[in-house]
Amino acid sequence: MFHTVTKSIEWGGRTLTLETGKVARQACGAVMVSYGNTKVLCTVVSSRESKEGIDFFPLTVVYQEKHFAAGRIPGGFLKRESKPSEKEVLTSRLIDRSIRPLFPKNYYNDTQVICTVLSHDLVNDSDMPALIGAAAAIAISDIPFSANLAGSKIGLIDGNFILNPNYKQVQESDLELVIAGTHDSVLMVESEAYELSEAKMLEALRFGHEAFQPVIKLIEELRSEAGKPKRIITDNHDPELKILIKNFVQDRILDAFKVQEKQPRRELLAQIKEDTLAHFTAQEYDINLVATKLKKLESEIIREQIVKHNKRIDGRDSKSIRPIECEVDYLPQTHGSALFTRGETQAIVVTTLGSSQDEQIIDSLESGEIKEAFNLHYNFPPFSVGEVSMMRAPGRREIGHGKLAWRALRPVLPSKDVFPYTIRVVSEITESNGSSSMASVCGGTLSLMDAGVPIKSPVAGIAMGLIKEQDSFVVLSDILGDEDHLGDMDFKVTATDDGLTALQMDIKVTGINFEIIETAIHQARQGVHHILGIMKKTLSEPRKELSHNAPTIFTTQINKDKIKDLIGPGGKHIREICDLAKVKIDILEDGTVKIFASNKDSLNIAIEMVESIAGEPQIDQVYLGKVTSVVDFGAFITLPGNREGLLHISEINKNRSESIHDNIHKGDTLWVKVSGIDNRGKVKLTKRDIDQETGQEIVATASSDE
């Protein structure tokens, strides 16, 4: 019934298996990938007809995790998978960015790649198997594709590179790098690093590229045995029409791209497009073909100006960075805020500090529910690019840009032991013409320092572009939106003065070599140093004190046996403290109590209430206690925190009473001082020299004779 083809290799200490012919046979291509006991089904389907009226490739990539893969039931009210998690969105983007450049430029057929995690061994991440499976499914399908590709994940522990580190190793690693490419080029890079040097990062990239070469060979073997003939794509090539359009609009396009402001330039280009379409459709040329030729002509004209004449759209040379303005404490009621403006790109970035109760709960396939104490959210409203559109929930782009900024800043954040706050950074993009994610990194650094978060070092970021013509190339620093659109690479680099913290590279051609990557990283580092210098003129280090708007944290330690008393039946006591004092309280298993208060008055009320329930008596401290029993030699008194002490008859007053029962009775409340605690923990009390009206100690005064 099945014609199954299976190929396997040992890769990174585990067996990687590609199998086709048994599952999802009606897809254009389907491959089951196994890595360890993690299994991912990867399929691709592409429509037979080209989509009319578009000039882009309509590719959709969906990576999805089924909770049954790890023997789990989804959390929340609905016990089924619904909205994609952040991990699913980011992995979908990672696969899309890797495979998209290898489809033909004139291929406009609806295409969908779906990668479904069916089994998860909780050791081996499923993202690399999904990427490899997607590439293999396309390779064996009839869908046109220019080359086989693969990818790998690289870690760095104790100076040694690790291929496809498991979850535990990732937590210990100084680097998490994902690289994808073909036999001789790189297509996609994404990484988080703890201030890694340029040389070490380049070494990691080469290691990763070499590591996935056996996988490319494995995919080639699978295709040779199970592949289908590729579709033939016709190209509407009309050299005469291209010449006619060029003669009609070339001078106008050159003039339009001399306008440095984004919106006026776009208005001119829109008018040129309208005039061109009207002119040539009147001559019965296909409107979609004319639009495609015009778009390609715009790209060629600008690329020629950059490569041959070193002239960019806004007049800069290849290494120059647009003017930068920085401002902190921009919003008076926030914990930390910054306004970062670079040319026509601008971000308002805000830092908010909270308690551990504000941590993000994530329903993770591999770990169940986990908590994240640092969150960075990126918002891109339509007004930032002068457009009108529906306001929707954050899409893949917003999630991806936010995660890149998160990766850039996380390596410099203090540990939870040093800074026990939950940190949320929000980047509101107010203008965009160039990399708004890198503006979020720069603004995020400033807002964190403005809030008083003791980050290790300031971080800045820059977006690099590429114009590649045959053997010549130009790397562009701080690219504009149009340069991103018309160029061959979007390479984002973030770093401190001491090293790299994040990379993200997307390629629009069929790959680049390591010479270009090395040039881009080195040029980017120069740009980062320039930006950091400007940022430091505004704020060079974290403020010494937290904002007066930020919550105050008080940490104390109680006996572990008192935790249940502090919480109370059904949480009664802790709720009463939080409601009355207007605070948040975290209680750890070791007896650590953290009180988060908005002001000192609330904090003092909460401290007093906590100590009254769970506090330990301190020597020489005066307490108001309640008499629980009276015996001939003294009275037993319960202090705040339910700790009992003995008030011996000799400590009631200076003149010993004949009978203690004449003065003290069960149920009385007395001010007493802790005079000592013996080796067995028994508390000794005294009432002598304690004013029973005020609880104050009576200070003896010298007599007149003296």
Side-chain angles (χ1 to χ4, degrees):
M1 182 175 180
F2 301 118
H3 176 62
T4 304
V5 178
T6 303
K7 300 292 178 183
S8 298
I9 58 170
E10 287 298 311
W11 189 49
R14 285 142 286 181
T15 301
L16 174 69
T17 301
L18 307 180
E19 179 186 275
T20 188
K22 181 181 286 188
V23 180
R25 291 172 294 163
Q26 296 186 48
C28 295
V31 174
M32 184 75 77
V33 183
S34 301
Y35 196 50
N37 284 329
T38 294
K39 296 175 76 73
V40 186
L41 173 63
C42 302
T43 64
V44 60
V45 176
S46 188
S47 63
R48 292 291 168 181
E49 300 297 328
S50 179
K51 206 165 185 177
E52 295 293 331
I54 64 172
D55 58 357
F56 62 92
F57 176 37
L59 171 67
T60 304
V61 177
V62 177
Y63 165 88
Q64 55 184 357
E65 297 178 338
K66 300 298 182 180
H67 279 66
F68 61 70
R72 302 186 189 281
I73 295 174
F77 182 74
L78 294 175
K79 297 303 178 182
R80 68 173 298 164
E81 293 82 3
S82 53
K83 178 183 175 183
S85 67
E86 183 181 84
K87 162 82 178 295
E88 290 171 311
V89 169
L90 294 171
T91 305
S92 297
R93 279 173 50 87
L94 183 146
I95 297 170
D96 185 310
R97 290 159 42 210
S98 301
I99 65 177
R100 186 179 288 272
L102 296 179
F103 288 93
K105 299 301 180 187
N106 60 332
Y107 190 65
Y108 300 137
N109 299 40
D110 266 322
T111 303
Q112 186 176 51
V113 174
I114 300 177
C115 302
T116 307
V117 181
L118 299 176
S119 178
H120 202 299
D121 59 15
L122 308 183
V123 176
N124 299 294
D125 201 345
S126 48
D127 52 0
M128 286 303 96
L131 170 59
I132 291 166
I138 298 168
I140 66 172
S141 74
D142 63 345
I143 302 168
F145 204 58
S146 63
N148 291 324
L149 83 141
S152 62
K153 182 179 290 187
I154 307 301
L156 178 64
I157 299 178
D158 296 330
N160 299 313
F161 293 121
I162 298 173
L163 175 60
N164 298 329
N166 59 39
Y167 288 116
K168 182 182 179 188
Q169 290 172 324
V170 167
Q171 299 301 316
E172 301 169 354
S173 178
D174 292 327
L175 170 71
E176 185 177 3
L177 167 72
V178 175
I179 179 172
T182 63
H183 172 68
D184 57 0
S185 64
V186 176
L187 288 163
M188 189 281 304
V189 172
E190 187 157 286
S191 75
E192 177 185 344
Y194 285 78
E195 297 185 286
L196 216 61
S197 69
E198 294 175 42
K200 201 67 177 178
M201 183 64 79
L202 286 165
E203 189 181 345
L205 289 167
R206 289 190 173 92
F207 180 89
H209 186 262
E210 182 65 28
F212 64 64
Q213 296 307 314
V215 181
I216 290 180
K217 292 180 181 178
L218 188 71
I219 294 174
E220 289 172 350
E221 292 174 8
L222 185 72
R223 167 160 173 71
S224 66
E225 194 168 334
K228 302 173 184 177
K230 294 294 184 183
R231 303 177 193 178
I232 298 175
I233 305 300
T234 58
D235 187 4
N236 293 327
H237 184 61
D238 188 343
E240 182 182 354
L241 176 59
K242 179 180 177 180
I243 294 171
L244 291 173
I245 294 174
K246 184 174 183 179
N247 292 336
F248 183 73
V249 297
Q250 181 175 11
D251 291 341
R252 292 180 65 186
I253 290 174
L254 283 169
D255 289 339
F257 276 109
K258 290 177 183 176
V259 177
Q260 295 188 12
E261 293 79 13
K262 176 182 174 181
Q263 293 304 331
R265 181 173 65 248
R266 290 206 166 176
E267 290 172 6
L268 287 174
L269 291 171
Q271 187 62 54
I272 291 171
K273 180 177 181 180
E274 183 180 336
D275 295 345
T276 305
L277 294 178
H279 177 79
F280 286 96
T281 53
Q283 301 178 39
E284 299 186 351
Y285 283 99
D286 179 74
I287 187 171
N288 293 323
L289 182 59
V290 174
T292 300
K293 297 290 184 183
L294 177 62
K295 182 178 180 181
K296 189 172 182 180
L297 179 63
E298 286 183 8
S299 177
E300 289 177 355
I301 290 172
I302 297 308
R303 293 165 69 90
E304 182 179 5
Q305 290 292 306
I306 293 173
V307 173
K308 291 186 177 181
H309 306 293
N310 196 28
K311 282 188 177 180
R312 296 172 66 176
I313 293 173
D314 57 1
R316 286 180 292 150
D317 62 29
S318 61
K319 297 183 179 180
S320 295
I321 297 171
R322 290 169 290 173
I324 293 173
E325 293 287 341
C326 305
E327 185 176 341
V328 293
D329 197 19
Y330 184 69
L331 303 175
Q333 285 299 113
T334 61
H335 299 166
S337 62
L339 176 67
F340 181 86
T341 308
R342 185 192 61 242
E344 293 180 298
T345 297
Q346 186 180 75
I348 297 174
V349 190
V350 180
T351 295
T352 306
L353 306 178
S355 72
S356 60
Q357 296 177 27
D358 298 309
E359 292 178 345
Q360 176 70 56
I361 299 175
I362 300 170
D363 192 11
S364 166
L365 179 65
E366 60 273 8
S367 306
E369 283 196 354
I370 58 175
K371 292 185 176 182
E372 177 56 61
F374 172 51
N375 296 287
L376 194 150
H377 299 140
Y378 166 102
N379 298 312
F380 193 86
F383 66 76
S384 65
V385 287
E387 295 178 358
V388 177
S389 67
M390 292 288 292
M391 295 290 287
R392 297 184 177 91
R396 289 187 172 191
R397 181 182 180 277
E398 285 82 1
I399 292 173
H401 280 41
K403 193 65 174 182
L404 173 58
W406 180 89
R407 289 191 180 102
L409 294 173
R410 189 172 77 137
V412 301
L413 291 179
S415 68
K416 203 68 169 159
D417 295 337
V418 174
F419 194 74
Y421 288 90
T422 294
I423 303 171
R424 182 184 185 227
V425 175
V426 179
S427 177
E428 298 287 342
I429 304 303
T430 51
E431 293 183 37
S432 181
N433 182 18
S435 179
S436 51
S437 63
M438 296 298 93
S440 301
V441 172
C442 299
T445 291
L446 290 169
S447 76
L448 285 165
M449 294 196 298
D450 184 49
V453 179
I455 63 174
K456 181 181 177 183
S457 305
V459 182
I462 190 171
M464 311 298 292
L466 172 71
I467 304 296
K468 186 175 183 294
E469 296 291 342
Q470 297 177 347
D471 294 332
S472 300
F473 69 89
V474 177
V475 174
L476 306 176
S477 296
D478 181 25
I479 55 175
L480 301 172
D482 287 335
E483 291 172 335
D484 181 10
H485 179 65
L486 301 173
D488 298 322
M489 176 182 76
D490 181 12
F491 192 8
K492 298 181 175 72
V493 179
T494 70
T496 67
D497 281 328
D498 296 322
L500 302 170
T501 62
L503 295 182
Q504 180 176 288
M505 183 180 74
D506 297 321
I507 300 298
K508 300 170 189 176
V509 290
T510 55
I512 62 173
N513 57 36
F514 282 98
E515 179 189 1
I516 295 174
I517 294 175
E518 186 171 1
T519 300
I521 291 179
H522 181 66
Q523 191 168 315
R525 287 283 280 148
Q526 293 176 334
V528 166
H529 284 309
H530 170 77
I531 297 169
L532 281 171
I534 296 173
M535 291 168 56
K536 289 178 181 178
K537 291 179 182 178
T538 302
L539 191 61
S540 61
E541 61 183 19
R543 299 194 187 279
K544 300 302 182 184
E545 296 183 357
L546 296 181
S547 164
H548 64 276
N549 296 323
T552 300
I553 293 183
F554 175 81
T555 301
T556 187
Q557 195 77 25
I558 65 172
N559 191 308
K560 290 192 290 186
D561 296 336
K562 297 289 185 68
I563 292 177
K564 62 181 183 298
D565 297 325
L566 182 57
I567 295 173
K572 177 184 177 183
H573 295 163
I574 201 70
R575 283 198 305 271
E576 287 178 348
I577 297 172
C578 292
D579 292 343
L580 181 62
K582 302 294 188 295
V583 297
K584 293 181 180 179
I585 297 178
D586 294 337
I587 306 173
L588 306 184
E589 293 181 356
D590 64 353
T592 300
V593 178
K594 297 180 180 179
I595 304 173
F596 298 79
S598 59
N599 56 68
K600 290 185 178 179
D601 290 340
S602 294
L603 180 64
N604 291 336
I605 293 172
I607 292 172
E608 185 176 339
M609 295 182 73
V610 167
E611 289 182 346
S612 70
I613 297 174
E616 291 291 322
Q618 302 295 319
I619 294 177
D620 292 333
Q621 187 69 38
V622 176
Y623 298 96
L624 183 63
K626 186 174 183 178
V627 179
T628 53
S629 64
V630 181
V631 293
D632 290 342
F633 56 84
F636 289 97
I637 298 177
T638 301
L639 304 175
N642 292 320
R643 187 70 179 273
E644 194 172 61
L646 173 64
L647 176 64
H648 193 269
I649 189 171
S650 62
E651 295 295 333
I652 294 177
N653 51 47
K654 292 180 180 179
N655 300 316
R656 182 166 176 168
S657 301
E658 292 298 325
S659 174
I660 189 173
H661 299 283
D662 296 338
N663 298 290
I664 297 176
H665 307 89
K666 182 179 179 180
D668 290 348
T669 56
L670 302 173
W671 287 105
V672 290
K673 183 173 77 170
V674 177
S675 58
I677 301 175
D678 65 21
N679 294 334
R680 294 173 294 175
K682 292 187 176 182
V683 180
K684 300 177 181 179
L685 305 174
T686 181
K687 182 173 157 292
R688 304 198 318 172
D689 298 327
I690 304 296
D691 189 325
Q692 291 301 305
E693 294 291 330
T694 64
Q696 300 294 315
E697 289 194 61
I698 301 171
V699 180
T701 57
S703 67
S704 56
D705 296 341
E706 297 171 341

